[in-house]
Amino acid sequence: MIRSPKLISSRFHLIPTALPPRPSTGHGRLLVGGNPSRRTFCQSFPFQKASPHRGDLVGAKRVVVKMGSAVITREDECGLALGRLASIVEQVSELQQQGHQMLLVTSGAVAFGKQKLRQEILMSMSVRQSLLARESKKLMIPPRACAAAGQSGLMSLYEAMFVQYGLRTAQILVTKPDFDNESTRTNLSSTLNELLKLNIIPIINTNDAVSPPPQPDVDLHGVISIKDNDSLAARVAVEISADLLILLSDVQGLYSSPPGTEGSRLIRTYTPDAADFKVVCGEKSRVGVGGMDSKVKAATWALDRDVSVVIANGFGEEIIRGIMTGKNVGTFFTKEKSDGTPVDLLAAKVRRGSRDLLALLPEQRADVIRRLAASLLDKQDAILSANKQDLIDARQSGLAAPLMSRLLLSAEKLRVLSSGLNQIATTCDRTVGKVIRRSRLADGLELELVTVPIGVIMVIFESRPDCLPQIAGLAISSANGLLLKGGKEANRSNQILHSLVRDALDTVGCGHAIELLSCREDVKDLLELGECIDLVVPRGSNDLVRTIQNQSKGIPVLGHSEGICHVFIDKDCDQDMALKIVQDSKCDYPAACNAMETLLIHRSFVGTKFFNDVVGMLKANGVRVNAGPRLAGDLKFGPTVITSLKKEYGGLECAIEVVEDVQDAVEHIHRYGSGHTDSIVTNNGETAVRFLNSVDSACVFHNASTRFSDGYRFGLGAEVGISTSRIHARGPVGVEGLLTTKWILKGSGDAVAEYADKGSKKFVHQTDSDTQGHEEIDIQKKIHKR
């Protein structure tokens, strides 16, 4: 197991391994010297903590990019890979022009000089010697001589490349003694800061023409030795308080074993102090001094000093841009601790748990759910105490009011959750293994279509700790494995609720069937592992759903991105009923996705007492009313005109718009709605039928509040989410939405050849409706309707 090593450096000033946290504001350069427990900060640039998540790298201001010899050197080790180098220069230039401060730590002088000196040597040889040298492909040229001959050419090349983008560069050659001396180290930091202020890209390299050979590390209280460009880049990044260090190599990142070997896994996210597995470092690259061991040590040392680090493959396209936009490339070093288990192994463990659940009797799964339901009430005080602390922290962090509302747990919510779980428990004998269709293909050849679990489902939810036991109950009933990721604002609540789920599952030996992911990076990693995850269900904001949909690599995503729900008040309505439905739809729980966001009202009501009653009722309940363009045109004075009718408010605010008739209302909903839930209030049966048949949403209601769009209220016990997609499941997704099917064929030694034109057997293809019963027929009708 690789833990954060006590990396050391040259023989000068001492720095303890544990540095104090950087100031959150202000500017400074770290000066070292004298008492190792004291440090001084000078005003020059901002400090910040290492980014805990990849997505935070978008805000990295000061970035050090280290290009290894293997990245920029040709395969023959004689000259530079100009195409690859040009791509890196282009990416660095664009980032510099976007306001980032870029620094390069580069190799290449030896390779550049080797090409130059090789040509000189060949020119000085006789024809015979020259031919022999070319055939052997070996010309022993001292590396220091190559470095001396190549430095000027290398910098000229960089300068010519960067000037194409209107940028200037400056060369800084350093040696290990430059870091040993406090004065030269201070001058180096000062020079780098001045160059960055002038929008000049510093290009740093060790002066290989005079550098001594690397020496073994000696204990110097945690300062990393300058032995190669990895350690040099780490020292430079820490000295100038860089936000990000990118180490480009010829491998994808860290692996659990040498790349290419059986079972080797790329480690996308690595927490040095929390890893409970060993990172195996293979051999060094074909060129250069360092290897993966050097990169790990340099990265860990820099991370300990609050510099974010990514090790990635410099051969990849747009690799630096990808890192800077938070894409899941390379290995990201973070201090945020996960459970230490690689996500693919965690998903595999959950899949095994799913199969263990499937092997249980329905009564056993039901008993697990009932135990969970009872524990919600038994542990109510502990749950509410954890939730209270989450609410305090969320309020201090400025969490938005709608999210605060969703975060809140109460005794009543726990009671409803418990009741819903008990309802789910009664369905266990009607979920997995249910025969949907049974056919007799031929004598002795019977075919069945039966329900089976989907497999492993990942559910991501924001600020809704009550989702966790609901979804867990549905997963247990349907024998699905479950990976859960809740919002950090509900961390304590989620932890205690998951512990209750685990306790209930442990009674049947299936505690590993439902796991709680501990960090955001785990989700990004899993979204690229289609072989590990079968379905993703995001529950939260529009941004969350869209992000998950964009990041998912071939994994189906079930959910809705918006909940723009409408209530249409028809001219033939019961006015008291309309007031009641509108109030409930908007004010009962305005943060819910099934809350009304737009009220459509028949034009005949504009300017009437009923219209004023509707607006007055909404305002009395604290609802901010916005007028649609048509309504605004009918009123001389009125509410604020809405900028967009396609908006989910998620709070005590809504829009009101005028429509001419039911067809106009339907067209408005199709244009501005999200396909979630829409309702009509009318006593005209013909108008109601037209609305119900025409509106193309997951849930369409007549004379009922949109708030009924809910798994518990539908009698599903709970819901894993509400889907507005058209494949598999739509509307509130209960147990049935977490099932798929498989065909089971029972034969008696049958072969296809026997059913050929002149074969001995014939197909009959008869559906055995009598044995299926009415329940299976009803299910077929439901599937057909979907």
Side-chain angles (χ1 to χ4, degrees), residues 560 562-566 646 669 672-678 697 724:
H560 67 278
E562 292 176 305
I564 305 175
C565 303
H566 297 77
K646 193 176 180 65
I669 291 170
Y672 299 108
S674 60
H676 192 294
T677 302
D678 300 289
S697 296
T724 56

Side-chain angles (χ1 to χ4, degrees), residues 378-397:
D378 295 341
K379 303 292 184 181
Q380 174 178 299
D381 290 344
I383 295 169
L384 296 181
S385 176
N387 183 248
K388 181 180 180 181
Q389 190 58 53
D390 283 336
L391 288 166
I392 292 172
D393 293 346
R395 194 173 293 109
Q396 291 175 347
S397 66

Side-chain angles (χ1 to χ4, degrees), residues 457-536:
I457 302 171
M458 180 165 65
V459 181
I460 304 107
F461 53 97
E462 290 180 328
S463 304
R464 288 284 302 271
D466 56 322
C467 289
L468 196 152
Q470 289 181 20
I471 298 166
L474 292 171
I476 295 168
S477 175
S478 56
N480 280 288
L482 195 59
L483 287 164
L484 295 164
K485 177 63 179 78
K488 63 181 180 180
E489 63 280 354
N491 182 58
R492 293 179 180 84
S493 304
N494 290 334
Q495 289 286 349
I496 190 170
L497 290 171
H498 178 252
S499 71
L500 299 180
V501 173
R502 175 70 69 87
D503 290 344
L505 286 168
D506 280 339
T507 62
V508 291
C510 296
H512 51 293
I514 297 179
E515 295 287 349
L516 185 64
L517 299 174
S518 57
C519 71
R520 196 166 68 189
E521 298 305 319
D522 291 342
V523 174
K524 295 183 70 174
D525 292 348
L526 285 166
L527 287 173
E528 295 187 356
L529 301 176
E531 71 278 9
C532 297
I533 307 296
D534 300 302
L535 180 68
V536 181

